[in-house]
Amino acid sequence: TSSSTMSSPTRASSRPVYRGSLALPDSHVTLDGIAFSVMLTAQTTLLQNPLALALESLRGIAIRFVAVIKLADIYYDAKAAPGIALDIHPQAVLSTVYFQNIFCLRPEQTYSIGVQVALGDTDATNLVIYASSVGNNALRLLAARITPPPVALPRPDDPTPRKPPLLLHAKGRDLFPPNPQFKVPAVPAKTLKRKPSQVEPEVGPTIERKNKDVRVSVLVSSLSVYNIRQTIKGIVVRSIPTHLLPKSHPDYKEVFNWIYRGVCFAVRADIKLKPVNEENASRLARVHVGMYVQGADGRKGPI
């Protein structure tokens, strides 16, 4: 516990406007002995504070605890007159301990936090309960209505109306939806006049031409490789002696593929750079034919 205590002084000029309980969220427990009183003066009346009228209209309906919030995150009408004070019945021990734990356990947070309370079943009207010092190490709990921040109206001599300030946030959401009243006219963009020599050339057609050239180059390269391979196939066919290995032979296709692959592998370094040397390719084909076809070039092959 803390040495600070909360007092409920007797005010001769106060008028009770609410007496009931505070409902806690996700719990069936209610804090009883809660009462709000309006501190009237000779210059103020009950009708001057809308929160006092809202509390008086509840007549015993439990108000709802919402959250413990930082006072810097909201805007509340603390200067409204007449002021509203929260009184806790001396026999309501649970309510007294509950508010003492909020405002008295951490003295550094006593005057910077508050309890947000909703009136009724909807969140249309919210109030905040905050602490105020009354001397002698005692606190007085006051209540004020949470309102939108005031909008700075434009000055008569201001040619461009100023934007209203951003609304404050509480618990990650807007308490009140934005409703801008002023529109700042957009500044017209300046048109830069350039000389004909300073006009930048168009980029689109150049990029398109480059892409087209790349596609044509790839197509020509593919056709060149295809023609070289067809040439090598013709050389391989002419190099195989038909009297030793006719096309009707069951091993002709396999022998042809091995000779073709061998020649392509031998000229792999030049096949994409320049036309094939048919004389060199024919010599390589005859070497492979001598290895695979029996009787070719006087050599004994496997067939």
Side-chain angles (χ1 to χ4, degrees), residues 141 149 217:
L141 297 182
S217 176

Side-chain angles (χ1 to χ4, degrees), residues 5-6 24 32 43 66 96 103 183 186 194 206 212 217 229 233 236 251 272-273 289 292:
T5 59
M6 293 182 296
L24 300 179
D32 298 326
Q43 292 79 21
V66 177
T96 302
F103 292 103
K183 293 184 179 180
R194 296 183 179 180
T206 303
K212 186 176 181 180
S217 176
R229 293 184 182 274
K233 287 183 179 180
V236 172
D251 294 332
K272 295 182 179 180
L273 301 178
V289 169
Y292 303 139

Side-chain angles (χ1 to χ4, degrees), residues 34 55-56 82 97 128 151 160 169 176 179-180 231 248 251 254 258 267:
I34 302 296
L55 288 170
E56 193 172 33
V97 173
V128 59
V151 178
T160 302
H169 296 270
F176 301 94
N179 186 17
T231 302
S248 58
D251 294 332
E254 184 176 0
W258 280 110
V267 298

